[in-house]
Amino acid sequence: MTRHDAPDTSIAMLGRLLVYLDGGGAADERRSVEALLRKDAVARDLLRDLAEHAVTVADCRRMAGEGHETSQSLGNRSPLDRQAWRWPAIAAGLVAAAAAAGAFSARPAAPLVIGQVSKAVGATRLFTAAGQIEEGIAPGATVGPGDTLESRSSDAWLATALGDGATLTIAGESVIRVLRPESGERRFDLVEGSLWLDPASGSPAAPVVVRTPAAVLEATGALFDVRSGATETVLRVHAGRVRAARRVDGVVLDVIPGSRCTVSLAADAPLASEPQPDPTGAWRLDPVSIGAAGHGLLRQATADRPASLVAFPLLWREGSHAPVLLHLVGVAVWRASDAPVRIGPDSRFRFRGRTTHPVRIRFGVSTQRMQGVFSGKFEVDVASERQARDGEAFEVDLALADLVPINPMLGDTAEGLEVADIYALTILEDAGLEIESIEIDGRD
Amino acid sequence: MPLDNPQILSALMPWRTRLSAAAWLVTRDAHAAEDIFQMVAVKAIATEVSFEVEAALVSWAFIAMRHAAIDWVRKRSREEVGLEDGLLDRLDTEWMERRPEGGRLAALRACLEELPAKSRRVLELRYADGMGCAEVAAAVGVGLDAVYKRLSRLHTTLRQCVEGKLIEARGANR
């Protein structure tokens, strides 16, 4: 069929398209229309014409003035829509904008700065929009649209001060891209990992948009954290409100303080928030089920050994120092535990594992304030004499007091903080570190 | 050599109806589609991306329109984005296959002018005022099915009218 023939067929097909676009029709009929559009070029041709008619009808109305406006239509439209529209005037505006843009581009433009790195610890990396790589980001570095920031290990974190005084922190194997601002919104793409946003107090906050593989989050002046993998995003709101949109179907939900919301690519359930679970004082690593929440290679159980996570090498570089090779086992506890794990005054941290030979092992936790932002790392080095020899299993039992804050210290003690990540590593030397179990044992 | 700003605007304007229509398929709101076109036009001249040829600009503009339209829908908490991405891609691609024919928009406007006032009102209620068909039915005092039928016939009439005027214009130009 061409544009010229079979008008009756066109009328019937248009009728079905109109019902579909109007949101009507039974599910079977809607699927049938979608199938028709996929396979039938004529149906697509009709749909394109219909859409062109729709915008032209509205355009003609604007050109004719607003005299015909009904009260109902005003209710449907934004204030911007109610302005008297005249395309020639808009075109003139565009030309003026073009001229301004031309004048602007005639001289070198200063790069747009979205934020400045205020703290950086551990293995971090910056991919600049210009295509350069900077290993070990130094405090003071500025970031702008197109830049990608990485915290490359469990013990790495990076805080960036935004223009309105808010602080954006990433930690524990996270990747974030800085996007170009739109409509006054600062926009970030959290590719993976965890992000905390702490708004400035006492000054007007600018809107922030955080995109993840599964969600788009919008907030103004809200305190929240986001943990995201390839298919799932967990949002926890601690103050203010955050609007979460599920990317797969556009469903939107406002998440209130004290709530959390899990947004999944599967979209197999209604988007809903729930109260954040009460914290627990106890948690135990299961290497087999840890999956993407763990850093290390899974070694399956054998007749004489339980399953374990084997340390995986990581090149660690801080500032201008020479890179250091680490062998790391790490676990994102926030992803491995349904409830936040709180460190109490009597908490114990028990690591059971093996090395092929005696070696100094560094044990540590990264923390965040309960319902708050990233709160630093606490570590301790354990000398080889405290470990078993010749491949026998060792057990290291650490008290809270054994863990000391690392520079820059955000607090004297980890007491009362939530465990974000827990890790064990050897520095330079590959001692075949394996971790069979980690247990946090404390009172709620 | 990249297109300069006047060239970008000159290249975009013939595509305005198609680009706005592509956004309308997502937003189902003709005024929002127009807003989005203007925003994309301004972006095209203010962006740091340069366009060597019109095809690159148009391709970029269709993608930018789609993204902005989806953002618009999400910001208004509308749950139904509607047509699936693959289908929207196909519609955009088919739109881009041929340059817009000169005179088509003028022909469409003339055809709209020629419609009886009652018919034009139905189209305006549906597309300029953004009413759903049930609201249009209530406004004009007919049943919902009658509105669907009337709109189907009007779109078909407009298609035939536009084709007729374009054939006429081609004959006059020979």
Side-chain angles (χ1 to χ4, degrees), chain A residues 31-72:
Chain A
R31 277 195 292 273
S32 168
V33 170
E34 286 160 5
L36 176 72
L37 285 168
R38 276 194 294 273
K39 72 177 184 192
D40 191 333
V42 174
R44 293 195 297 276
D45 199 27
L46 285 172
L47 180 61
R48 284 195 303 274
D49 272 2
L50 188 155
E52 290 184 22
H53 295 171
V55 296
T56 306
V57 166
D59 192 41
C60 287
R61 163 71 77 79
R62 281 192 296 268
M63 298 288 280
E66 297 291 289
H68 300 290
E69 200 76 66
T70 66
S71 57
Q72 181 162 358

Side-chain angles (χ1 to χ4, degrees), chain A residues 45-392:
Chain A
D45 199 27
L46 285 172
L47 180 61
R48 284 195 303 274
D49 272 2
L50 188 155
E52 290 184 22
H53 295 171
V55 296
T56 306
V57 166
D59 192 41
C60 287
R61 163 71 77 79
R62 281 192 296 268
M63 298 288 280
E66 297 291 289
H68 300 290
E69 200 76 66
T70 66
S71 57
Q72 181 162 358
S73 70
L74 281 173
N76 289 340
R77 289 162 56 180
S78 70
L80 187 61
D81 299 327
R82 294 173 206 159
Q83 293 171 7
W85 286 73
R86 295 289 184 276
W87 182 254
I90 294 158
L94 284 175
V95 171
F104 187 67
S105 62
R107 57 181 184 275
L112 185 57
V113 173
I114 301 296
Q116 186 169 34
V117 174
S118 53
K119 290 171 186 146
V121 174
T124 58
R125 181 159 60 187
L126 169 65
F127 290 92
T128 71
Q132 295 168 320
I133 299 176
E134 293 175 16
E135 297 282 358
I137 304 171
T142 56
V143 292
D147 291 341
T148 300
L149 299 161
E150 284 188 21
S151 57
R152 299 186 55 223
S153 65
S154 286
D155 70 337
W157 60 278
L158 196 58
T160 302
L162 304 181
D164 64 347
T167 301
L168 183 148
T169 303
I170 60 170
E173 299 187 56
S174 301
V175 179
I176 190 166
R177 290 195 195 99
V178 182
L179 306 178
R180 180 166 290 282
E182 284 183 13
S183 310
E185 296 172 337
R186 285 125 352 136
R187 302 167 73 85
F188 303 93
D189 194 357
L190 179 61
V191 179
E192 62 173 341
S194 48
L195 170 155
W196 289 259
L197 193 93
D198 189 4
S201 56
S203 61
V208 171
V209 174
V210 177
R211 294 159 49 97
T212 71
V216 179
L217 312 171
E218 296 180 27
T220 302
L223 173 65
F224 63 96
D225 62 71
V226 186
R227 285 86 186 276
S228 187
T231 60
E232 190 175 272
T233 294
V234 179
L235 163 71
R236 299 192 307 177
V237 180
H238 310 298
R241 279 172 185 263
V242 179
R243 171 160 289 192
R246 190 158 61 188
R247 292 183 71 167
V248 69
D249 56 9
V251 173
V252 172
L253 179 73
D254 283 335
V255 184
I256 60 173
S259 300
R260 73 174 179 180
C261 172
T262 301
V263 186
S264 165
L265 271 184
D268 50 3
L271 187 61
S273 62
E274 58 182 350
Q276 292 176 26
D278 291 334
T280 176
W283 173 82
R284 187 182 178 90
L285 164 69
D286 174 9
V288 176
S289 64
I290 201 69
H295 179 103
L297 298 174
L298 173 64
R299 173 172 288 170
Q300 294 289 355
T302 61
D304 55 349
R305 285 191 182 190
S308 63
L309 288 177
V310 181
F312 198 72
L314 176 81
L315 198 60
W316 184 89
R317 181 172 188 155
E318 188 167 359
S320 58
H321 299 292
V324 176
L325 186 63
L326 306 180
H327 300 271
L328 171 77
V329 173
V331 176
V333 176
W334 62 267
R335 290 178 71 179
S337 170
D338 187 53
V341 179
R342 182 165 58 192
I343 302 171
D346 302 318
S347 289
R348 312 281 315 178
F349 304 85
R350 297 192 190 95
F351 295 80
R352 183 180 169 83
R354 298 169 196 269
T355 56
T356 52
H357 55 273
V359 66
R360 178 180 291 267
I361 303 176
R362 177 166 296 173
F363 298 96
V365 292
S366 65
T367 63
Q368 72 171 82
R369 286 203 299 273
M370 296 303 301
Q371 300 196 327
V373 294
F374 182 78
S375 202
K377 292 182 177 289
F378 298 82
E379 296 183 340
V380 61
D381 285 356
V382 175
S384 55
E385 52 268 24
R386 283 181 62 183
Q387 300 154 26
R389 293 170 185 270
D390 302 328
E392 291 298 313

Side-chain angles (χ1 to χ4, degrees), chain B residues 32-75:
Chain B
E34 172 69 9
D35 283 354
I36 290 167
F37 174 75
Q38 290 176 42
M39 187 188 76
V40 167
V42 171
K43 263 188 182 177
I45 56 177
T47 185
E48 290 171 3
V49 180
S50 62
F51 305 100
E52 293 291 332
V53 292
E54 180 185 322
L57 167 67
V58 171
S59 175
W60 171 87
F62 268 101
I63 293 168
M65 294 291 293
R66 169 96 61 85
H67 288 170
I70 290 171
D71 279 351
W72 184 92
V73 170
R74 287 179 176 157
K75 279 184 179 169

Side-chain angles (χ1 to χ4, degrees), chain B:
Chain B
M1 191 173 161
L3 301 177
D4 60 22
N5 289 334
Q7 285 172 324
I8 287 174
L9 288 177
S10 303
L12 269 184
M13 289 309 291
W15 292 88
R16 176 186 162 220
T17 303
R18 287 188 185 177
L19 286 164
S20 299
W24 182 87
L25 284 175
V26 177
T27 62
R28 315 279 163 81
D29 182 313
H31 303 288
E34 172 69 9
D35 283 354
I36 290 167
F37 174 75
Q38 290 176 42
M39 187 188 76
V40 167
V42 171
K43 263 188 182 177
I45 56 177
T47 185
E48 290 171 3
V49 180
S50 62
F51 305 100
E52 293 291 332
V53 292
E54 180 185 322
L57 167 67
V58 171
S59 175
W60 171 87
F62 268 101
I63 293 168
M65 294 291 293
R66 169 96 61 85
H67 288 170
I70 290 171
D71 279 351
W72 184 92
V73 170
R74 287 179 176 157
K75 279 184 179 169
R76 276 143 193 86
S77 307
R78 295 190 180 181
E79 295 189 3
E80 189 184 333
V81 174
L83 299 165
E84 62 191 38
D85 265 359
L87 185 53
L88 290 170
D89 285 342
R90 205 153 170 189
L91 290 161
D92 287 357
T93 303
E94 288 170 350
W95 248 317
M96 280 185 271
E97 277 171 359
R98 281 180 299 174
R99 292 198 84 245
E101 197 173 355
R104 178 172 289 277
L105 180 60
L108 178 55
R109 283 186 176 145
C111 290
L112 281 168
E113 285 296 313
E114 290 170 14
L115 288 176
K118 276 187 180 176
S119 300
R120 226 175 27 242
R121 181 164 179 250
V122 171
L123 286 169
E124 287 179 352
L125 289 171
R126 176 68 184 93
Y127 300 119
D129 295 343
M131 289 185 182
C133 287
E135 294 170 292
V136 176
V140 298
V142 298
L144 180 59
D145 280 350
V147 171
Y148 286 134
K149 280 181 189 160
R150 201 174 288 185
L151 283 170
S152 304
R153 287 200 191 96
L154 284 170
H155 284 296
T156 305
T157 302
L158 286 173
R159 282 164 59 86
Q160 291 172 332
C161 174
V162 168
E163 290 304 321
K165 285 190 185 301
L166 289 174
I167 289 168
E168 221 172 84
R170 283 178 213 130
N173 289 336
R174 276 181 193 147

